[in-house]
Amino acid sequence: MFDRLSFPQPWLSLILFVTWQLLNDGVTGASLVMGVILAWVIPQITHGFWPERPAFIKSWRMPAYLLHVIRDIVVASFEVAKLILSSRQPRPVFVCYPLELEHPLAISILASTISLTPGTVSVDISDDNRLLLVHALDAENDEEVIDAIRTRYEKPLLEMFE
């Protein structure tokens, strides 16, 4: 019986519950009950789409990572605006980024982070999940982009998913 009441994706359930509460006009008994129902039913229905449970070992590091990414998004937004408004021509490059990450969720988070940061876009991933093609709007060379991604994003994700 308790097997049926389990939450196959606890983080998804938590996000769904919190999102439901934020979408309501206040926390009431009905919204709490509906939030729990949604947090249980949606992961049950989508269970077949999740090949395995998320492999967060050190999930407490995620809030710091998110704050770091938000800061980078704000800073990069101003840098891209400054570049566009200046007379200097951007130096776009395509970079084949060698991945150290192996977990599919970690790779997805990295690719999403890169695309969310203004001035960079994740374009494609190799069939063997070892290379990520990244377009940078303005960079001196490939190594500059690779070093920035590795130190700012991949290293923290490696620590979370090791």
Side-chain angles (χ1 to χ4, degrees):
M1 167 153 170
F2 289 110
D3 220 15
R4 288 183 163 186
L5 295 176
S6 70
F7 291 87
Q9 298 293 327
W11 288 105
L12 175 61
S13 295
L14 179 64
I15 290 168
L16 289 168
F17 179 78
V18 170
T19 302
W20 182 256
Q21 297 311 313
L22 292 173
L23 290 173
N24 281 291
D25 192 29
V27 178
T28 64
S31 73
L32 289 172
V33 169
M34 188 62 177
V36 169
I37 291 170
L38 289 173
W40 182 77
V41 168
I42 291 174
Q44 297 295 328
I45 293 171
T46 63
H47 181 68
F49 298 109
W50 298 86
E52 59 190 57
R53 294 184 90 159
F56 284 124
I57 304 283
K58 299 175 183 170
S59 58
W60 64 88
R61 293 182 182 226
M62 185 55 87
Y65 178 78
L66 291 174
L67 288 174
H68 181 78
V69 170
I70 290 169
R71 180 191 164 280
D72 284 355
I73 289 170
V74 171
V75 169
S77 296
F78 284 108
E79 289 174 358
V80 169
K82 183 177 155 187
L83 175 67
I84 291 170
L85 295 173
S86 73
S87 60
R88 186 174 73 79
Q89 290 295 313
R91 299 162 300 202
V93 295
F94 278 97
V95 177
C96 285
Y97 180 80
L99 290 166
E100 292 180 28
L101 293 168
E102 294 178 2
H103 194 278
L105 179 60
I107 294 170
S108 293
I109 292 172
L110 176 65
S112 298
T113 300
I114 291 168
S115 293
L116 281 171
T117 307
T120 55
V121 176
S122 300
V123 179
D124 196 12
I125 189 162
S126 64
D127 291 337
D128 62 355
N129 290 342
R130 301 307 316 152
L131 290 174
L132 184 64
L133 182 61
V134 176
H135 179 267
L137 177 64
D138 188 47
E140 292 284 330
N141 55 45
D142 293 3
E143 288 305 313
E144 175 188 353
V145 176
I146 290 170
D147 290 342
I149 292 171
R150 180 156 289 125
T151 57
R152 299 185 74 75
Y153 306 125
E154 189 174 33
K155 184 180 172 193
L157 286 171
L158 278 168
E159 291 172 0
M160 278 187 268
F161 284 89
E162 56 183 19

